[in-house]
Amino acid sequence: MNKFWPCFLGCFLGVASSTLGIGWLLQKPEHAPAPTANVHPATLSSRPSVELADFILGVMGEQGSRWAWNWQATSAIYWQNGVELLQNPTAMRRSGHVRINVLGAIATLLMDSEKELGWYVALETDEVDTPPIMPTRIVIQPDECFGEKNTGCDFDPLPSLDRKGISHDLVCSLSPAGAGGYRLYLLHYPGKNDVLMTAEYGDDLGKRAGVLSFDQEGAHGMPCEISEEGLVEQGTAREDVSPSKRYTAIVQQALESVATPEEAKGHSCQVSFIIEDDELEYAYADTLSGFLPLCGKGIEALEAADFSGLNVDTPVFLQATITR
């Protein structure tokens, strides 16, 4: 399924830009290890630690605010430089480091002693042709975290969001049951901008992420939708779920098991997905007209469904509507 990845990545990058205030990181979060000299890079030694959900609230920003290159210029983030112009491909970036903990858990690096490992943070855009050029994406991850010298390189962001009361509706997933993949959530919190959070997973269960990126929803509608043209180019068969198809019973059984929250009654949502090699490789929700909490539950149900034994050799594109 690697052939679908470039389309997925290319579709969600570069969403409408947004400015935020600069005081949010100065408030002491609920889970906040104190400043410490035992941290890498050492420039973070005098900086406070920020719990992941508190950081994400700052990313979301007050409703109607917009990102700018001076976002969080005075904060717990140690910015390394001004704005860089990158080549191949052309892009602009401002990067730095910040201490982030996930409900108290930190990443570590073994040097002369075991040190807390800071997180890389970057403002980015690849939309550099039309001024004013503003950041369209924020990326965070434990900095260069991999191998035997590190711990805490991957994490589950959802319990942190739940504890803070940030809702997260699953919009799409790519190869969640394979060797890692991507899951994209629409985040919502009262008084804040809605943002799209893409979690890049390195494990085979789709639970623990290594990289998070954030985009504002709006300009491109469905950021990870595979186009009709893309399906044709990739040789993927497009079919609708119908009684004559052998996988219909599996799909129907999975979607009928979706728990229905009270607010979902009377709503519907369309889920499109791809099955290949007897696995659900890709699924996305209709964000324009569908009820997203229902769609997210539908995607999770399809991920848990057993498609083994179907002998589907050619990728098959399917659509199903969940109605409550």
Side-chain angles (χ1 to χ4, degrees):
M1 282 302 297
N2 287 344
K3 56 191 174 185
F4 295 114
W5 288 38
C7 176
F8 172 82
L9 293 172
C11 291
F12 82 82
L13 296 180
V15 193
S17 62
S18 137
T19 37
L20 302 178
I22 61 174
W24 63 272
L25 285 180
L26 302 181
Q27 300 177 4
K28 184 177 180 181
E30 186 174 355
H31 299 269
T36 175
N38 199 31
V39 61
H40 178 81
T43 50
L44 295 177
S45 60
S46 61
R47 310 273 171 149
S49 179
V50 184
E51 207 283 316
L52 177 63
D54 289 311
F55 188 96
I56 291 174
L57 279 179
V59 168
M60 297 174 77
E62 299 304 315
Q63 212 162 47
S65 61
R66 300 178 62 82
W67 292 334
W69 293 112
N70 64 349
W71 176 79
Q72 300 297 336
T74 304
S75 68
I77 301 173
Y78 180 84
W79 295 105
Q80 295 175 297
N81 47 48
V83 181
E84 300 175 285
L85 178 62
L86 309 177
Q87 303 294 335
N88 299 319
T90 304
M92 296 186 74
R93 180 180 65 198
R94 175 169 165 80
S95 60
H97 291 93
V98 63
R99 293 178 63 202
I100 290 180
N101 70 88
V102 184
L103 296 178
I106 60 172
T108 68
L109 170 65
L110 185 61
M111 300 176 69
D112 56 322
S113 62
E114 189 172 62
K115 297 180 180 292
E116 177 186 343
L117 180 62
W119 286 43
Y120 169 84
V121 55
L123 300 170
E124 300 177 349
T125 187
D126 47 16
E127 299 178 2
V128 297
D129 295 329
T130 305
I133 301 171
M134 296 299 237
T136 59
R137 182 172 57 255
I138 295 177
V139 180
I140 61 171
Q141 66 183 99
D143 188 40
E144 297 184 0
C145 193
F146 57 88
E148 294 77 10
K149 293 183 178 181
N150 294 105
T151 66
C153 298
D154 53 6
F155 51 92
D156 184 355
L158 301 189
S160 173
L161 297 177
D162 289 337
R163 187 181 182 95
K164 201 69 180 181
I166 302 173
S167 67
H168 44 86
D169 294 320
L170 182 61
V171 173
C172 72
S173 64
L174 174 65
S175 295
Y182 298 83
R183 293 166 74 85
L184 191 147
Y185 299 87
L186 178 64
L187 306 186
H188 176 77
Y189 190 86
K192 301 289 186 179
N193 290 314
D194 288 355
V195 298
L196 291 159
M197 179 184 80
T198 301
E200 181 178 346
Y201 291 86
D203 71 323
D204 59 358
L205 298 177
K207 295 294 184 183
R208 301 184 66 81
V211 183
L212 298 179
S213 60
F214 303 89
D215 300 79
Q216 280 201 318
E217 187 199 21
H220 297 282
M222 180 62 245
C224 57
E225 181 176 354
I226 292 180
S227 67
E228 294 287 340
E229 295 79 7
L231 289 170
V232 172
E233 290 174 1
Q234 294 155 1
T236 303
R238 181 191 176 102
E239 303 181 26
D240 291 327
V241 175
S242 66
S244 63
K245 302 302 180 183
R246 52 187 169 166
Y247 29 71
T248 296
I250 299 174
V251 172
Q252 288 180 339
Q253 182 178 6
L255 296 183
E256 286 172 0
S257 69
V258 173
T260 307
E262 188 66 29
E263 63 271 18
K265 292 183 178 179
H267 291 276
S268 64
C269 192
Q270 181 175 274
V271 177
S272 302
F273 52 102
I274 292 173
I275 299 174
E276 184 181 14
D277 297 329
D278 293 347
E279 290 186 355
L280 182 75
E281 294 287 345
Y282 185 98
Y284 65 85
D286 176 6
T287 61
L288 298 181
S289 59
F291 185 69
L292 283 185
L294 193 56
C295 267
K297 296 294 184 184
I299 293 175
E300 291 173 350
L302 290 169
E303 289 176 348
D306 183 7
F307 293 100
S308 62
L310 292 180
N311 298 318
V312 179
D313 298 324
T314 302
V316 179
F317 177 80
L318 304 164
Q319 290 182 321
T321 300
I322 312 168
T323 302
R324 290 293 184 268

